[in-house]
Amino acid sequence: DAGITQSPRHKVTETGTPVTLRCHQTENHRYMYWYRQDPGHGLRLIHYSYGVKDTDKGEVSDGYSVSRSKTEDFLLTLESATSSQTSVYFCAIRVGQAATNYGYTFGSGTRLTVV
Amino acid sequence: QKEVEQDPGPLSVPEGAIVSLNCTYSNSAFQYFMWYRQYSRKGPELLMYTYSSGNKEDGRFTAQVDKSSKYISLFIRDSQPSDSATYLCAMSAEGPGGYQKVTFGTGTKLQVIP
């Protein structure tokens, strides 16, 4: 276990409310990622971070923002939740140090339902 | 058309069988190839990664990459009920700004029957 924790594990929220998901790692990895996983779409990158306060957009970033004020914490915020954001959200860290290893370690996921 | 195609299954096999899981891709820029295993209600875990064409073996698992055909495979020998999971292929290529963009397949659900 690479020491990656997501919270909360489950959340139900109402449409239009802001929601923040937290990813915490204990091993000082530089790269952190937020993915969502939906049936038929697989894992899709929302945002990623390559250092403290260094973040960039992924392929499905609309409606999401992120922050990384400390190496160990990467926060994902749904600014105004919509039903289309009902999904399972995974945080990941890149564990490979070699240039040829782009394997990730994933957290256990947050199951978010927007009603 | 998706960059990475993976048959969703489900694939049911008897215990002890050899399992073959496959992905095809269209982006010839993919350089790194990975296989993840995901148990129900868990996060994916990295099984294997390869950088080039050819085979890589790790215990009962063999990953195979054929760049000329844009085809990758994962073979599981002597399959066990504990191998029942969804298997995701993933591959990466350099994106804008030098970032390695990883694209995942949608996963194949495998069930190994005792």
Side-chain angles (χ1 to χ4, degrees):
Chain A
D1 187 355
I4 181 169
T5 305
Q6 290 186 236
S7 59
R9 291 296 311 276
H10 302 272
K11 186 168 182 69
V12 179
T13 192
E14 293 187 348
T15 299
T17 60
V19 177
T20 295
L21 310 183
R22 181 179 183 241
C23 179
H24 178 78
Q25 57 135 335
T26 59
E27 298 189 356
N28 214 34
H29 291 285
R30 179 182 175 193
Y31 290 90
M32 299 183 76
Y33 308 84
W34 276 108
Y35 283 87
R36 60 178 289 174
Q37 187 175 39
D38 305 286
H41 290 280
L43 285 158
R44 292 180 292 175
L45 181 66
I46 304 171
H47 281 279
Y48 67 98
S49 170
Y50 47 96
V52 173
K53 298 186 179 176
D54 291 324
T55 65
D56 208 344
K57 296 179 180 180
E59 61 183 299
V60 290
S61 59
D62 286 349
Y64 302 94
S65 62
V66 290
S67 66
R68 193 166 178 201
S69 58
K70 297 184 289 185
T71 299
E72 58 265 36
D73 289 325
F74 192 31
L75 304 180
L76 176 71
T77 297
L78 288 65
E79 293 143 8
S80 177
T82 67
S83 58
S84 64
Q85 293 175 312
T86 293
S87 186
V88 181
Y89 291 85
F90 287 102
C91 177
I93 54 177
R94 179 184 158 188
V95 295
Q97 298 302 313
T100 56
N101 182 355
Y102 286 86
Y104 297 162
T105 292
F106 284 84
S108 298
T110 294
R111 192 168 294 268
L112 177 69
T113 302
V114 183
V115 297
Chain B
Q1 184 186 1
K2 293 180 180 177
E3 277 190 299
V4 177
E5 297 280 357
Q6 187 174 10
D7 188 327
L11 180 62
S12 287
V13 301
E15 182 175 353
I18 296 174
V19 176
S20 172
L21 304 166
N22 312 295
C23 287
T24 58
Y25 63 94
S26 57
N27 186 353
S28 58
F30 285 136
Q31 300 171 300
Y32 308 104
F33 303 90
M34 293 145 281
W35 284 96
Y36 287 83
R37 177 176 61 197
Q38 186 175 21
Y39 292 114
S40 181
R41 305 220 165 221
K42 300 289 186 182
E45 57 178 321
L46 181 65
L47 273 179
M48 299 186 74
Y49 71 93
T50 55
Y51 174 57
S52 60
S53 285
N55 292 355
K56 183 176 182 179
E57 190 173 316
D58 184 2
R60 295 185 296 111
F61 298 89
T62 300
Q64 190 173 81
V65 175
D66 182 349
K67 286 190 174 179
S68 62
S69 301
K70 297 190 180 65
Y71 189 88
I72 70 170
S73 300
L74 178 71
F75 298 96
I76 307 174
R77 289 185 298 279
D78 187 25
S79 56
Q80 303 295 309
S82 59
D83 295 327
S84 297
T86 296
Y87 290 80
L88 309 171
C89 63
M91 40 202 84
S92 70
E94 187 166 325
Y99 166 68
Q100 278 288 336
K101 179 178 180 288
V102 179
T103 303
F104 287 85
T106 52
T108 299
K109 188 170 184 178
L110 172 67
Q111 184 177 22
V112 181
I113 314 267

